Amino acid sequence: MELLSALSLGELALSFSRVPLFPVFDLSYFIVSILYLKYEPGAVELSRRHPLASWLCAMLHCFGSYILADLLLGEPLIDYFSNNSSVLLASAVWYLIFFCPLDLFYKCVCFLPVKLIFVAMKEVVRVRKIAVGIHHAHHHYHHGWFVMIATGWVKGSGVALMSKFEQLLRGVWKPETNEILHMSFPTKASLYGAILFTLQQTRWLPVSKASLTFIFTVFMVSCKVFLTATHSHGSPFDVLEGYICPVLFGAAWGDDHYHDNHGGSHGGGGPGSPHSALPAKSKEELSEGSRKKKTKKAD
């Protein structure tokens, strides 16, 4: 009984909340974030031709959430880059993933059992960032619920929400891959988590912050590891949303769901999707038909 009481949820959650993120968890966050950058089409070629642009994209993947949160709260956007240790660590990860001889580092971290560990640790960082972001916003706006939710949301999924800007740095423009219109699982989960942490911060949710952080972390880790291990692009929220959203908003839901190709926070669907391929084909047929008509008339 004494052992069980010592391992109670409250004690376990409190101990978990005291675990420092730097350097181990932050390292995992940087590795997974820059892995997703390397998965993007043309990212490797960009790193060879324009290494500075590639490094800037990597920094956005690692610190984009801090930049967006500072933008919302009216603080210096470059403030987090004063953290020399984190920037140097992220830069080292970027260099090893893109330029390590024989791609040894990339092959090691892409090995699925190893990658699943890094993915799980990244979700620990994500949840902690949501909680810290809401606490920070509450310090500035005590009764600003929407400000707290927005800040927590961008803290958890800022990279995905900044995907348009990051794509521009790579010389890519894909307006159809808008994260707001087609939310991936991490973006949705960050939004729902931001709402829960805001309710807890304003004392509407009768649970301690440490317990909520622990429970939500277990949920995020379980879902993300499962989705990554099964290479699934789905979301645990799809079934629930499929029932609730048509009732609340009176519209079909799930017809055009978009999910990140790598389970991450941003960008991959694009022109190759069935929805975009069909209109492109019909336009080509129409233009060819008009050309034939013009040729006949000329004859």
Side-chain angles (χ1 to χ4, degrees):
M1 292 298 293
E2 293 180 359
L3 180 61
L4 290 176
S5 62
L7 296 176
S8 64
L9 178 61
E11 293 289 333
L12 183 61
L14 189 60
S15 301
F16 178 74
S17 66
R18 292 172 178 169
V19 175
L21 296 181
F22 189 85
V24 178
F25 287 91
D26 281 345
L27 175 63
S28 302
Y29 186 91
F30 298 153
I31 288 174
V32 177
S33 298
I34 299 176
L35 270 181
Y36 290 157
L37 171 62
K38 189 167 184 177
Y39 291 155
E40 294 291 342
V44 176
E45 292 79 5
L46 179 73
S47 67
R48 301 295 189 270
R49 297 178 180 178
H50 307 286
L52 179 58
S54 176
W55 178 81
L56 287 173
C57 290
M59 295 304 103
L60 281 182
H61 274 252
C62 295
F63 308 118
S65 57
Y66 297 101
I67 295 173
L68 267 186
D70 289 339
L71 179 64
L72 287 179
L73 298 177
E75 297 180 352
L77 303 184
I78 205 169
D79 184 60
Y80 194 81
F81 285 88
S82 63
N83 190 338
N84 297 326
S85 300
S86 294
V87 175
L88 288 174
L89 183 60
S91 301
V93 171
W94 164 76
Y95 186 85
L96 289 173
I97 286 179
F98 280 95
F99 301 104
C100 182
L102 303 178
D103 264 349
L104 290 178
F105 185 79
Y106 173 75
K107 292 174 182 176
C108 289
V109 297
C110 273
F111 182 54
L112 187 58
V114 177
K115 183 180 177 181
L116 292 179
I117 295 174
F118 290 143
V119 166
M121 297 174 76
K122 178 182 179 179
E123 295 310 307
V124 174
V125 178
R126 187 195 305 276
V127 176
R128 197 79 67 88
K129 285 165 65 177
I130 294 172
V132 171
I134 288 172
H135 178 78
H136 187 63
H138 181 260
H139 179 72
H140 291 278
Y141 303 93
H142 294 288
H143 304 290
W145 285 36
F146 292 103
V147 176
M148 286 185 272
I149 292 173
T151 305
W153 185 30
V154 300
K155 276 278 193 174
S157 58
V159 180
L161 297 174
M162 290 187 69
S163 60
K164 296 294 102 188
F165 183 68
E166 185 268 335
Q167 287 173 3
L168 286 176
L169 284 178
R170 291 190 285 113
V172 177
W173 175 244
K174 295 180 179 179
E176 70 278 2
T177 59
N178 191 324
E179 186 69 18
I180 300 294
L181 298 178
H182 310 284
M183 291 190 190
S184 58
F185 165 70
T187 304
K188 287 183 181 180
S190 297
L191 177 59
Y192 298 147
I195 294 172
L196 289 176
F197 278 101
T198 298
L199 292 175
Q200 189 280 328
Q201 185 71 48
T202 54
R203 303 178 186 272
W204 282 87
L205 191 63
V207 63
S208 68
K209 180 179 291 187
S211 298
L212 180 59
T213 302
F214 180 75
I215 294 170
F216 196 67
T217 300
V218 171
F219 168 75
M220 289 294 294
V221 168
S222 303
C223 292
K224 202 66 172 71
V225 168
F226 175 78
L227 293 175
T228 304
T230 58
H231 304 284
S232 172
H233 300 158
S235 168
F237 304 120
D238 287 346
V239 177
L240 186 61
E241 290 171 349
Y243 285 105
I244 295 177
C245 292
V247 175
L248 293 179
F249 306 112
W253 187 266
D255 293 338
D256 190 25
H257 269 213
Y258 166 80
H259 298 284
D260 181 27
N261 283 340
H262 317 299
S265 53
H266 67 284
S273 65
H275 297 285
S276 59
L278 184 58
K281 184 178 179 182
S282 59
K283 286 179 182 178
E284 290 174 5
E285 291 174 350
L286 288 172
S287 60
E288 180 148 358
S290 63
R291 283 198 299 270
K292 288 180 179 178
K293 288 180 182 178
K294 290 179 180 178
T295 306
K296 288 180 180 178
K297 288 180 179 179
D299 293 339

